[in-house]
Amino acid sequence: MSLILTSAEAVAAEILARIGVVSTANGYETNLGVKVFAGRRSVDPSMLPCATLIEADDEIQDLTNMRIGVPQAEIKQHYVMYAYLECDPDHPNTMAHKAIRDFKRVIFNTDGKPDASFGRKVREVRYLGRDISPRADGSATVVAAIEITVQFVESLSAP
């Protein structure tokens, strides 16, 4: 049985590990997994291609088992995955779309099968949307992102 993920830190580690396998050698369209950062917001062109994971706000969905003395919270944690890639300056969205597809594929598949729970490690993984960042015309880099939420139960007394 897979280890159940019960903290934002553990979920982030799962996401980072999944992004880390993204390479053309593994059948993906990009090599985002060559360099994967946890929380890095500034990237320079010498680091491309790379990806970074930002842990955004969380929402408390429900406090569970409080009446019987087990302090737990059902949490919906937001994560944003950014892809930084070299691109054709005249067609940057082409590479951005590849990165978005790679992110979706690596997050919403487990062992080659469609999955929205990281192989039952969390309650739910939900897609919230994507973005291709504006850039200066002629720039040979593009940034694309997807946002997801992951719902899990955390033990508040042993986080």
Side-chain angles (χ1 to χ4, degrees), residues 108-122:
F108 293 100
N109 283 284
T110 300
D111 298 326
K113 298 176 186 162
D115 176 45
S117 67
F118 291 161
R120 297 185 180 179
K121 293 180 182 180
V122 297

Side-chain angles (χ1 to χ4, degrees), residues 83-156:
Y84 299 87
L85 300 155
E86 293 178 358
C87 65
D88 177 341
D90 293 328
H91 304 282
N93 286 5
T94 300
M95 190 56 78
H97 287 292
K98 290 179 180 185
I100 290 166
R101 284 193 297 269
D102 281 350
F103 277 147
K104 289 176 182 176
R105 185 173 157 212
V106 79
I107 294 300
F108 293 100
N109 283 284
T110 300
D111 298 326
K113 298 176 186 162
D115 176 45
S117 67
F118 291 161
R120 297 185 180 179
K121 293 180 182 180
V122 297
R123 289 202 174 178
E124 180 182 52
V125 181
R126 183 171 288 188
Y127 176 72
L128 297 181
R130 58 105 174 153
D131 179 61
I132 299 173
S133 296
R135 47 182 272 303
D137 282 342
S139 174
T141 62
V142 67
V143 179
I146 73 165
E147 184 175 355
I148 62 172
T149 60
V150 179
Q151 201 161 339
F152 57 91
V153 175
E154 179 177 8
S155 170
L156 300 175

